[in-house]
Amino acid sequence: MKKIFAAFLAAAMLASLGGCSSSSSTIDQIKKEGKLVMATNAAFPPFEYIEGNEPVGVDVDIAAEIAKDLGVTLEVSDMDFNAIIPAVQAGKASLGAAGMTVTDERKQQIDFSDEYVKSAQYVIVMKGSGVTVDSLSEAGIVIGVQEGTTGDFYATDEIKGDPNTEEVARYKNAIVASQDLMNGKCSAVIIDEMPAKSIVEANADTLELLPDVLTEESYAIAVKKGDAAFLEQVNKTIARLKSEGKIDEFLIKHTGE
Ligand code: GLN
């Protein structure tokens, strides 16, 4: 009997917590402030990068459409990739749009929208260095990654197979990681497909992209957990953009193809 009562009490507490979060919903906050705040890490072309002084990219265009559908303006808040989920959880940002891969661990912390782009991890090496995917697990081979990303997890857990490895060098973004690759401080950089291609293209004399596809991933937008109305709104805009062919259009616009 006591157990049943405890379970009932726990359920009631959860229900009241749910009620609490919906009373300070993201949509209310966005409308009150007249702006939608997008948390991102603007060093991930073509999804987010700096042009002039402005953050631009596919994710910025998508978030601008979500803002437009809500009748507000978009504000982009640039931060470390690792800071995005905490910013969304704390309500400091309305959403996180950062070429963010859907993972089960992240699903514990935030809710994901519908997926809008497929991706994969790729390896960048120095041209003519002979470094291959198979050689990445060898002792002495340092892999550069962006801290806290799926590339970091793959290099650490799958390639090196050691959570305490010192042979994974963690950087704030793939651009600085690639600079260290060119300076000889690491042997390879693992990063998402499109940023990898864009970095190699920008340094075509020095860098080379390996053909191997390490993972299968999908990007989605992160929103605060349990805010069903806002999640539905975000998904509505994504569905509209997909049906209008806009996401492909944004990709073409920002890759210059
Ligand atoms: N897709 C990768 C991840 O979610 C990298 C994202 C990024 O660096 N912006 O971990």
Side-chain angles (χ1 to χ4, degrees):
M1 187 65 200
K2 242 187 193 164
K3 259 190 199 153
I4 294 171
F5 181 69
F8 176 76
L9 198 68
M13 276 167 72
L14 272 177
S16 77
L17 271 177
C20 196
S21 75
S22 74
S23 73
S24 62
S25 80
T26 310
I27 293 183
D28 289 346
Q29 195 183 341
I30 289 171
K31 293 219 159 137
K32 198 175 86 198
E33 292 175 1
K35 64 178 185 192
L36 180 147
V37 181
M38 160 186 169
T40 197
N41 173 243
F44 197 72
F47 294 95
E48 37 270 332
Y49 56 101
I50 302 289
E51 197 171 75
N53 282 323
E54 290 293 305
V56 294
V58 175
D59 288 330
V60 179
D61 288 347
I62 293 174
E65 293 284 340
I66 297 169
K68 192 179 92 186
D69 286 349
L70 282 165
V72 296
T73 54
L74 173 69
E75 182 180 297
V76 180
S77 179
D78 190 12
M79 59 187 75
D80 287 349
F81 184 77
N82 267 345
I84 297 171
I85 286 180
V88 171
Q89 286 178 308
K92 286 189 195 141
S94 326
L95 53 80
M100 192 183 286
T101 301
V102 175
T103 70
D104 287 339
E105 291 74 21
R106 290 176 183 159
K107 276 187 192 165
Q108 313 288 316
Q109 302 168 286
I110 41 91
D111 285 339
F112 278 112
S113 71
D114 292 338
E115 297 164 1
Y116 60 91
V117 165
K118 297 232 170 298
S119 183
Q121 296 300 307
Y122 273 73
V123 186
I124 308 174
V125 299
M126 288 296 278
K127 220 175 200 166
S129 64
V131 175
T132 63
V133 171
D134 286 341
S135 66
L136 296 181
S137 57
E138 285 169 15
I141 297 285
V142 176
I143 309 169
V145 296
Q146 179 176 9
E147 187 174 22
T149 62
T150 44
D152 180 359
F153 307 148
Y154 190 85
T156 305
D157 303 331
E158 307 298 326
I159 298 181
K160 295 297 183 185
D162 170 11
N164 301 314
T165 180
E166 285 178 7
E167 292 182 338
V168 173
R170 299 181 178 86
Y171 297 91
K172 292 287 179 210
N173 61 63
I175 296 172
V176 288
S178 304
Q179 278 155 1
D180 256 14
L181 172 62
M182 292 188 268
N183 291 333
K185 297 209 178 98
C186 50
S187 302
V189 168
I190 296 183
I191 191 72
D192 298 46
E193 177 175 7
M194 295 190 83
K197 287 182 177 163
S198 129
I199 289 169
V200 170
E201 222 165 79
N203 301 280
D205 293 342
T206 335
L207 299 179
E208 182 184 334
L209 191 68
L210 297 185
D212 312 71
V213 182
L214 303 186
T215 59
E216 267 180 41
E217 306 181 10
S218 297
Y219 295 162
I221 290 174
V223 302
K224 197 188 250 178
K225 240 188 172 335
D227 190 342
F230 184 52
L231 186 61
E232 195 181 313
Q233 178 69 35
V234 169
N235 282 335
K236 232 191 203 163
T237 303
I238 291 177
R240 175 176 68 76
L241 295 175
K242 280 184 183 169
S243 77
E244 294 171 352
K246 289 273 193 197
I247 297 191
D248 289 336
E249 224 172 81
F250 297 157
L251 281 163
I252 292 167
K253 172 172 141 196
H254 292 287
T255 50
E257 272 163 23

